[in-house]
Amino acid sequence: MSKPIFDKVLIANRGEIACRVMKSCQLLGIKTVAVYSTADEQAKHVQMADEGVCIGPPASNESYLCIDKIVDACKKTGAQAVHPGYGFLSENGDFQSALAKANIIFVGPDAHSIQAMGDKIESKRLARDAGVTCIPGFIGEVKSHEDVLKFANEVSYPVMIKASGGGGGKGMRVAYNDKECVEFFDLCREEAKAAFNSDKMLVEKFIENPRHIEVQIIADRKGNTLYLPERECSIQRRNQKVIEEAPSVLLDPATRKAMGEEAVAMARAVQYVSAGTVENVVNPDKQFYFLEMNTRLQVEHPITEEITGVDLVEQMLRAAADLPLSITQDDIKINGHATECRVYAEDPTKNYFPSIGRLSMYQEPVGPGVRCDSGIIEGSQISVFYDPLICKLSTWGKDRAESIERMEKALDQYVIRGLRHNICLLRDVVTEPRYQAGTLTTNFLVEQYPGGFTKTDLTAEEKVTMYQAAAAIHVKREQLHYTQGGESEGQFYVSVGPKQDDEHPVFVRRVGENSFEIGATKAGPLKKVEVEWTVNFPIIVVRDGVKETFLQFWGTNEVSYGIQMKGTTFNVNVLNDLQSVLNQFVPEVQEGVNAKQVLSPMPGVIVGIKVAVGDKVVAGQEILTLEAMKMRNKIHAAADGTVNGY
């Protein structure tokens, strides 16, 4: 066996990306070191590593962002190299320099490349000097409300306000008027300072109805710089990617080649080494504009690996060890299509507010072409200190249609209990006709759900499938719970919600372990349906002879069953004749709203209060700023009143 590229590598990150890097290291025979905060002591990435070093308390600026602590961890463990993952210190030139000073190899680009491309203002200057077409913008730092308002009114709204050094959608917002411009400038600057320790801001014209398409590059120190097939990243919320795919349905081979060659030229202009990504805004006519370059491994890199077979982490390690890449440009081909969904701990029905909690049940989907990049296990805690990403779920198919179909099934079989998540949104998007047609822009979510995402709508056919499954489970449970065996058949009235507004008659006769004859009434006609479900097992599989449907079982309160379909959980009533009659007389519970209190819509930390005791406020007035999972949110008064205390 040949000697490993490195003996030991420290991963200066946490969560799924730390686990991802460790997997490649393990395959290459490289020992790994995890660093962790006290909040992550039992985390998956710590368990995966050969060694672990605690580097401080939960707050990132006291642990994962502390350069001295990570350098010290390398010295203690004898790690020869550091892979930074993404986020945290991955695009920090000072970090690279500090490692170099300590004779530790940084698995990434050199400091001068990070500084040139990591600063969005400087990168635009370099791009324009190199003849690359850029989005119209103010070339320089905007330091005040006056600066940002002056530019915004010169180029006309909308404008994009964003942190000069950062990424991941943090410190970035689109303003459509002067009021938003001022408010968003302050919010973005605060977020940037908290996340990247820099509040340097830039502003540029926001191109409406764009597509966000990026090109992956990889380079070594031997003069080899390659581009890989593009990734379409247009499905975004809060300027942060939610669903990506590779390749893009928009591009033709000529445009793909042009974008790739321009990305390579950009990389060579700054003597770039390692993996990086050139991001572009693309209009419907396939005209592309340089947006920025991320000098790190991207979150969505798995879909590029899925369609090319290239292990990007391995190539990064080779480049860092001063070895040539193991591939050439001619080796890179497009094989099939890949889709990635970012599964977040957040509630898409409440403006994507993050959710915290412990994963009381957690089962990742498996199957052909399914890949899960996660940093959690059952029992893991999702806290307020870090990004709410649970997993990057990827599916590969021989074509786009198969990739999407596999994604639908994988999302339906993804079991997450203990906190809110966005699977209902992801599931809805990938089945939308507009998405399946590939008609994408970065405004997709806003346009598709103009009032915000509420919940999944089921077709009449889908409701029947869910109702029949609930009735079949009811019969199966009844037989299991009686020592002499319960009735093997029954007539039921099934509906969703507290009243029978949509009551559906269902007759069920059990004829085998998972076999049922089902119809509206006993008189028929009856159809044979397979309902595969085991007590205490969350997945329900329904086969009606035409298609296979995956549902999830959330429990029961005797007459109502929690059934998850297409990512949304419904309370399904399964009532006999008497229960159906009596249920009509049960009063509905009315939820009250206390307008005298300002309740936080999410757990977080108050970082700014805009009012004082005794102040009179009006409905809609800003009360405070709340920070949760790296994002800042303005909280407003729900009614007129006077501040009595806090």
Side-chain angles (χ1 to χ4, degrees):
M1 181 178 177
S2 59
K3 187 179 183 297
I5 298 172
F6 293 108
D7 294 325
K8 187 182 293 185
V9 170
L10 182 145
I11 295 87
N13 217 298
R14 64 177 301 280
E16 69 84 13
I17 188 58
C19 296
R20 161 69 191 93
V21 173
M22 288 177 190
K23 287 178 181 177
S24 285
C25 288
Q26 289 168 353
L27 288 173
L28 295 167
I30 300 171
K31 292 182 179 179
T32 57
V33 179
V35 291
Y36 61 92
S37 71
T38 52
D40 282 338
E41 186 175 0
Q42 302 300 320
K44 180 180 176 180
H45 78 280
V46 180
Q47 296 179 27
M48 282 185 64
D50 295 293
E51 298 176 64
V53 178
C54 182
I55 54 172
S60 300
N61 59 2
E62 298 181 56
S63 52
Y64 294 105
L65 290 174
C66 293
I67 293 173
D68 291 345
K69 291 182 178 181
I70 293 174
V71 172
D72 186 56
C74 290
K75 292 177 179 178
K76 286 180 178 177
T77 59
Q80 300 164 289
V82 171
H83 195 298
Y86 55 73
F88 291 137
L89 296 169
S90 62
E91 294 178 283
N92 188 309
D94 292 339
F95 182 45
Q96 195 273 354
S97 298
L99 290 172
K101 187 176 179 180
N103 294 317
I104 301 165
I105 296 172
F106 180 70
V107 184
D110 295 329
H112 69 85
S113 298
I114 296 173
Q115 290 161 353
M117 290 289 97
D119 186 322
K120 295 178 177 62
I121 295 173
E122 179 63 19
S123 69
K124 288 183 183 298
R125 287 198 183 102
L126 288 167
R128 288 189 177 180
D129 290 346
V132 176
T133 304
C134 297
I135 301 169
F138 176 74
I139 303 300
E141 180 183 359
V142 287
K143 299 181 178 180
S144 66
H145 294 160
E146 291 73 20
D147 285 347
V148 72
L149 287 171
K150 181 181 177 182
F151 175 80
N153 285 282
E154 283 177 358
V155 300
S156 75
Y157 288 103
V159 296
M160 171 70 82
I161 301 166
K162 61 182 177 181
S164 176
K170 298 171 184 66
M172 182 186 302
R173 283 174 170 80
V174 179
Y176 287 85
N177 53 55
D178 285 359
K179 180 178 180 296
E180 290 183 348
C181 204
V182 170
E183 180 179 323
F184 292 170
F185 178 78
D186 290 340
L187 273 176
C188 290
R189 190 158 58 174
E190 290 169 5
E191 287 177 356
K193 182 66 176 176
F196 314 118
N197 200 31
S198 170
D199 61 0
K200 194 174 180 182
M201 305 300 297
L202 64 85
V203 60
E204 62 191 14
K205 175 68 177 175
F206 179 68
I207 297 176
E208 296 190 273
N209 299 316
R211 298 174 83 118
H212 185 131
I213 301 177
E214 61 190 28
V215 178
Q216 175 75 59
I217 60 108
I218 185 76
D220 60 25
R221 298 186 185 280
K222 308 297 183 183
N224 302 304
T225 305
L226 316 178
Y227 69 88
L228 286 80
E230 77 287 347
R231 298 184 288 256
E232 171 93 49
C233 308
S234 297
I235 308 298
Q236 304 179 3
R237 60 100 172 94
R238 292 176 175 172
N239 302 301
Q240 190 171 39
K241 302 159 189 174
V242 178
I243 300 176
E244 304 98 349
E245 59 181 292
S248 169
V249 296
L250 178 70
L251 300 194
D252 54 59
T255 307
R256 178 172 295 117
K257 186 172 186 289
M259 287 181 71
E261 290 177 347
E262 187 170 297
V264 167
M266 193 75 204
R268 285 178 173 159
V270 290
Q271 297 85 49
Y272 195 83
V273 174
S274 196
T277 302
V278 175
E279 304 200 357
N280 301 277
V281 172
V282 186
N283 70 17
D285 296 324
K286 304 176 189 176
Q287 294 175 313
F288 56 91
Y289 303 88
F290 172 76
L291 183 62
E292 63 186 28
M293 182 175 182
N294 289 315
T295 56
R296 54 172 167 80
L297 191 65
Q298 289 282 86
V299 176
E300 58 275 16
H301 76 275
I303 52 176
T304 296
E305 295 183 328
E306 290 299 298
I307 65 168
T308 62
V310 175
D311 183 329
L312 289 168
V313 173
E314 177 185 352
Q315 299 305 319
M316 292 179 76
L317 291 165
R318 291 184 63 86
D322 203 20
L323 297 171
L325 302 176
S326 63
I327 52 174
T328 67
Q329 191 67 60
D330 290 339
D331 294 327
I332 300 169
K333 309 294 181 185
I334 298 176
N335 176 30
H337 195 96
T339 306
E340 177 182 283
C341 283
R342 300 192 190 188
V343 180
Y344 284 111
E346 64 183 18
D347 189 348
T349 68
K350 294 182 179 178
N351 197 30
Y352 307 103
F353 285 158
S355 175
I356 66 168
R358 188 173 299 280
L359 291 157
S360 56
M361 182 180 290
Y362 183 75
Q363 295 179 17
E364 292 177 348
V366 295
V370 176
R371 169 175 170 173
C372 289
D373 286 54
S374 70
I376 58 173
I377 55 177
E378 188 166 289
S380 291
Q381 179 82 25
I382 304 296
S383 75
V384 298
F385 299 107
Y386 311 114
D387 190 273
L389 182 67
I390 294 175
C391 174
K392 300 179 318 195
L393 174 62
S394 304
T395 52
W396 176 91
K398 62 181 182 298
D399 53 31
R400 187 170 186 263
E402 185 176 59
S403 176
I404 293 173
E405 181 183 4
R406 286 177 169 178
M407 179 59 73
E408 290 178 39
K409 291 183 178 180
L411 288 168
D412 286 342
Q413 296 176 78
Y414 206 143
V415 179
I416 302 174
R417 307 284 165 84
L419 44 73
R420 302 286 295 179
H421 53 76
N422 68 334
I423 285 180
C424 53
L425 171 73
L426 300 171
R427 182 60 168 76
D428 205 65
V429 170
V430 299
T431 54
E432 281 290 341
R434 178 181 168 190
Y435 177 84
Q436 296 200 341
T439 310
L440 312 179
T441 76
T442 55
N443 299 320
F444 183 96
L445 292 181
V446 174
E447 292 171 353
Q448 199 66 40
Y449 312 105
F453 181 78
T454 52
K455 69 174 185 178
T456 303
D457 291 323
L458 302 182
T459 65
E461 181 183 357
E462 289 168 343
K463 283 185 179 179
V464 168
T465 298
M466 183 173 69
Y467 290 170
Q468 292 180 344
I473 287 173
H474 182 76
V475 168
K476 196 169 188 177
R477 289 184 76 255
E478 288 294 297
Q479 288 189 296
L480 286 170
H481 287 177
Y482 290 99
T483 54
Q484 300 301 318
E487 294 292 334
S488 63
E489 63 180 51
Q491 178 69 55
F492 304 103
Y493 300 89
V494 190
S495 63
V496 171
K499 293 296 180 184
Q500 299 100 307
D501 298 330
D502 189 29
E503 194 171 72
H504 188 85
V506 178
F507 173 79
V508 176
R509 176 186 293 131
R510 188 178 183 188
V511 294
E513 177 63 28
N514 298 311
S515 298
F516 299 84
E517 292 179 342
I518 302 178
T521 65
K522 187 173 183 177
L526 301 179
K527 179 181 180 180
K528 189 169 183 180
V529 178
E530 294 287 323
V531 181
E532 185 179 315
W533 173 77
T534 304
V535 175
N536 297 324
F537 188 70
I539 301 296
I540 307 165
V541 186
V542 181
R543 302 181 184 91
D544 61 4
V546 177
K547 67 177 182 178
E548 183 178 63
T549 303
F550 293 92
L551 310 174
Q552 291 189 31
F553 181 78
W554 277 71
T556 177
N557 62 2
E558 298 307 324
V559 298
S560 180
Y561 291 84
I563 303 292
Q564 179 177 310
M565 187 172 199
K566 295 172 66 175
T568 296
T569 303
F570 300 88
N571 289 320
V572 183
N573 299 316
V574 181
L575 310 177
N576 59 30
D577 288 312
L578 179 59
Q579 290 169 331
S580 178
V581 172
L582 294 177
N583 193 53
Q584 299 178 44
F585 301 99
V586 177
E588 292 187 47
V589 177
Q590 300 295 325
E591 292 187 7
V593 177
N594 186 354
K596 293 184 178 181
Q597 294 180 327
V598 178
L599 299 177
S600 173
M602 73 196 89
V605 178
I606 295 174
V607 294
I609 299 177
K610 301 294 185 179
V611 295
V613 174
D615 286 357
K616 292 185 180 299
V617 298
V618 297
Q621 182 176 335
E622 181 184 337
I623 300 294
L624 55 87
T625 302
L626 187 79
E627 183 178 282
M629 293 177 169
K630 299 186 180 180
M631 297 295 287
R632 295 200 172 193
N633 303 272
K634 298 293 187 184
I635 306 301
H636 302 86
D640 297 350
T642 302
V643 178
N644 292 326
Y646 49 76

